Amino acid sequence: MALELQERNGMVIDSHAPEVMEKGWNGGKNLDDDGREKRTGTVVTASAHIITAVIGSGVLSLAWAMAQLGWVAGPAVLIGFSIITWFTSTLLADGYRSPDPLSGRRNYTYMDVVRSNLGGMKVQLCGIAQYTNLIGVTIGYTITASISMVAIIRSNCFHKHGHGVHCYTSNYPFMIIFACFQIVLSQVPNFHKLSWLSIVAAVMSFAYSSIGVGLSIAKVAEKGHHVGTTLTGVIVGVDVTSTEKVWRTFQAIGNIAFAYSYSTVLIEIQDTLKSSPPENESMKKASFIGVSMTTFFYMLCGIMGYAAFGNDAPGNFLTGFGFYEPFWLIDIANFCIAVHLIGAYQVFCQPIFGKFEGYCNQRWPENGFIMNEYAVPIPFYGSYFINFFRLTWRTVYVIVTSVIAMLFPFFNDFLGLMGAASFWPLTVYFPIEMHIAQAKLHKFSSRWIWLKVMSWACLIVSIIAFAGSAQGLIADLKTYKPFKVQH
């Protein structure tokens, strides 16, 4: 039974795929040119994956980021990050097949792309940056989902008892509930089976973003509404000290960088696409659609959130209770956030699962605990195949990341730190370096120079954003006591 399933999933064929292709094997009815199960992804499903990955918890902090940067720098930084992300994603998409982007051998992960185009120590550096970021994002999404669940309880409490009461509720039980959902969903074998979840999550992201924009517009339209907004954001000496202004600016840049972090899963998303039309063409279209739509919503959420709250914008504009009524609409928005993050968590953790399990399969191919699959009949579904290694280690991963989220439940600082740490290496540096290698650009040619200048400029931005977020996280840790509910 175990061997039968391995062959069905392409696990036996995969290990010999290059040799099979060299002998002229052109695949079967349900298999692709590399011997794996035929990919069926389209521009629509890839766009849904991207939107699910991009419109995440980052959108909720954009009003706060705009308040730190102001009317001039805020939109400029947001548009700048979107253009850079879209451009470098087109470069990265060409690396899925190498050496030729149309007919070359497939690279299944970001690390495979780096290995094919750059090699050496850069492969290990890419792996450290990518998987650290993926783990960090799953921790961040656990924090954000619990905050949104708690916001539903608090919203109803404020509606019932008035806005002046405390209505404190612990995040920890809701982190556990979120983890339980993830333990179940993590048993989905691979990324290719998650299209339905990403489409649901993408719809949820549009729903809560639209609600947030609508509530902001309604607040701005209120009679007598007036809040302090400026061209440069929070005012030194009035809202913050000069030192706080600098650190908050850096942190805001990190938050915006985090809001565009999907390069870590771009290759894995591209690996779900069918081969006709060429995967890189479909991925470039999906990236344009995904980044354009998310930037449109980001601008609306950031600008309207800043217009609604001014320089006092909360760190999370749907759970920071700038809005109290209508409470039921706020409940719906936060429910949509939680559902969206359930799907987004899987988009970011599936590459981790695939990488570790692939390593173990190659390292211990005769180990029954790792390799064997057992059929379990499920009414109205058919047979579901359980692998005890997959069940055990994925459950442990979810539990460990949830415990870490409980230890460090700092929303804005955590987002900024993850965004700053991963933006330059994964979104900018590696795509540019691989493009230079793949296109064989001459050193000091005009294109080589401006690509290098862009890379170095983004490195400087990432360093200052990382410094700001690290400073905020250190400040929070000085007064924080783990597993203690704040009163």
Side-chain angles (χ1 to χ4, degrees):
M1 175 60 73
L3 182 59
E4 178 184 344
L5 185 68
Q6 290 168 26
E7 292 175 346
R8 189 184 72 132
N9 283 342
M11 292 169 65
V12 172
I13 296 174
D14 278 348
S15 63
H16 302 289
E19 291 81 355
V20 171
M21 292 171 67
E22 287 173 5
K23 293 178 182 177
W25 184 82
N26 61 1
K29 184 177 180 181
N30 296 313
L31 298 175
D32 261 329
D33 57 1
D34 58 347
R36 294 196 174 190
E37 184 178 349
K38 201 167 190 70
R39 296 158 178 83
T40 57
T42 63
V43 171
V44 173
T45 60
S47 299
H49 282 312
I50 292 170
I51 292 168
T52 300
V54 178
I55 301 185
S57 51
V59 70
L60 305 173
S61 67
L62 290 179
W64 180 89
M66 287 286 181
Q68 313 315 308
L69 300 171
W71 287 119
V72 177
V77 170
L78 191 62
I79 292 174
F81 274 108
S82 69
I83 293 173
I84 291 170
T85 300
W86 168 76
F87 173 71
T88 56
S89 70
T90 63
L91 302 183
L92 186 56
D94 283 335
Y96 173 67
R97 287 183 181 267
S98 60
D100 185 85
L102 297 179
S103 59
R105 180 176 174 174
R106 296 175 189 265
N107 297 299
Y108 304 115
T109 67
Y110 201 134
M111 285 183 68
D112 290 341
V113 178
V114 176
R115 184 178 292 108
S116 297
N117 290 281
L118 299 177
M121 282 296 296
K122 290 181 179 179
V123 179
Q124 284 70 40
L125 293 174
C126 170
I128 292 170
Q130 181 187 11
Y131 291 101
T132 299
N133 176 259
L134 290 173
I135 294 169
V137 170
T138 57
I139 294 169
Y141 282 179
T142 302
I143 296 169
T144 312
S146 69
I147 291 173
S148 294
M149 294 177 192
V150 165
I152 296 174
I153 306 298
R154 296 186 68 199
S155 174
N156 287 274
C157 175
F158 287 133
H159 177 73
K160 184 176 181 180
H161 301 290
H163 302 169
V165 297
H166 292 298
C167 291
Y168 284 116
T169 303
S170 173
N171 289 13
Y172 302 134
F174 297 95
M175 289 186 183
I176 294 171
I177 292 172
F178 183 80
C180 291
F181 277 105
Q182 296 307 333
I183 288 171
V184 174
L185 289 172
S186 291
Q187 301 313 310
V188 174
N190 54 54
F191 217 145
H192 306 276
K193 308 296 184 183
L194 284 173
S195 294
W196 65 272
L197 186 60
S198 283
I199 291 172
V200 171
V203 171
M204 293 296 102
S205 67
F206 285 131
Y208 70 72
S209 297
S210 299
I211 291 172
V213 171
L215 289 171
S216 297
I217 293 173
K219 191 174 183 69
V220 171
E222 285 179 357
K223 186 176 181 180
H225 174 77
H226 177 74
V227 294
T229 63
T230 65
L231 295 177
T232 57
V234 290
I235 302 170
V236 175
V238 177
D239 302 307
V240 292
T241 65
S242 57
T243 302
E244 287 175 333
K245 173 69 174 179
V246 172
W247 287 123
R248 284 191 179 193
T249 298
F250 291 171
Q251 186 180 336
I253 293 172
N255 284 8
I256 293 174
F258 178 86
Y260 281 102
S261 62
Y262 84 98
S263 296
T264 48
V265 292
L266 185 146
I267 296 299
E268 284 79 1
I269 292 173
Q270 193 167 345
D271 192 43
T272 67
L273 294 171
K274 55 186 179 182
S275 56
S276 181
E279 301 91 349
N280 65 331
E281 291 182 13
S282 297
M283 195 64 202
K284 289 176 182 179
K285 290 179 182 178
S287 292
F288 180 78
I289 293 169
V291 173
S292 297
M293 294 182 75
T294 53
T295 300
F296 174 72
F297 273 93
Y298 281 0
M299 290 294 286
L300 283 177
C301 290
I303 290 173
M304 293 312 303
Y306 184 38
F309 300 113
N311 292 337
D312 294 325
N316 183 323
F317 88 140
L318 279 175
T319 63
F321 289 98
F323 304 117
Y324 287 95
E325 300 292 342
F327 78 99
W328 56 269
L329 188 58
I330 296 167
D331 290 351
I332 292 174
N334 281 294
F335 174 78
C336 289
I337 293 171
V339 173
H340 169 252
L341 293 179
I342 287 172
Y345 184 102
Q346 287 299 313
V347 170
F348 282 92
C349 72
Q350 282 292 336
I352 301 171
F353 297 157
K355 182 67 177 178
F356 185 69
E357 288 161 18
Y359 168 79
C360 292
N361 290 342
Q362 291 183 356
R363 182 70 176 80
W364 299 285
E366 304 300 325
N367 188 300
F369 176 71
I370 293 174
M371 302 299 295
N372 290 353
E373 307 252 357
Y374 302 92
V376 176
I378 299 178
F380 308 110
Y381 175 80
S383 294
Y384 176 78
F385 292 89
I386 290 180
N387 174 279
F388 289 115
F389 170 67
R390 183 170 64 233
L391 176 65
T392 303
W393 113 261
R394 292 189 181 193
T395 300
V396 170
Y397 176 85
V398 173
I399 292 172
V400 170
T401 53
S402 299
V403 171
I404 295 173
M406 292 177 184
L407 287 170
F408 303 105
F410 309 118
F411 178 73
N412 282 71
D413 298 326
F414 199 89
L415 295 192
L417 199 66
M418 288 297 103
S422 64
F423 178 77
W424 178 72
L426 298 174
T427 303
V428 181
Y429 174 75
F430 284 117
I432 285 177
E433 291 299 311
M434 289 187 291
H435 173 72
I436 289 173
Q438 195 173 39
K440 296 180 173 61
L441 297 182
H442 294 294
K443 201 171 185 179
F444 300 115
S445 64
S446 58
R447 185 173 177 84
W448 184 93
I449 290 173
W450 77 259
L451 285 172
K452 287 288 188 178
V453 168
M454 184 175 76
S455 180
W456 282 102
C458 289
L459 172 60
I460 294 170
V461 170
S462 290
I463 290 173
I464 63 175
F466 185 88
S469 299
Q471 187 275 338
L473 193 60
I474 292 169
D476 285 338
L477 286 171
K478 288 179 180 178
T479 58
Y480 174 68
K481 295 181 179 180
F483 300 110
K484 183 177 180 180
V485 180
Q486 304 297 312
H487 294 288

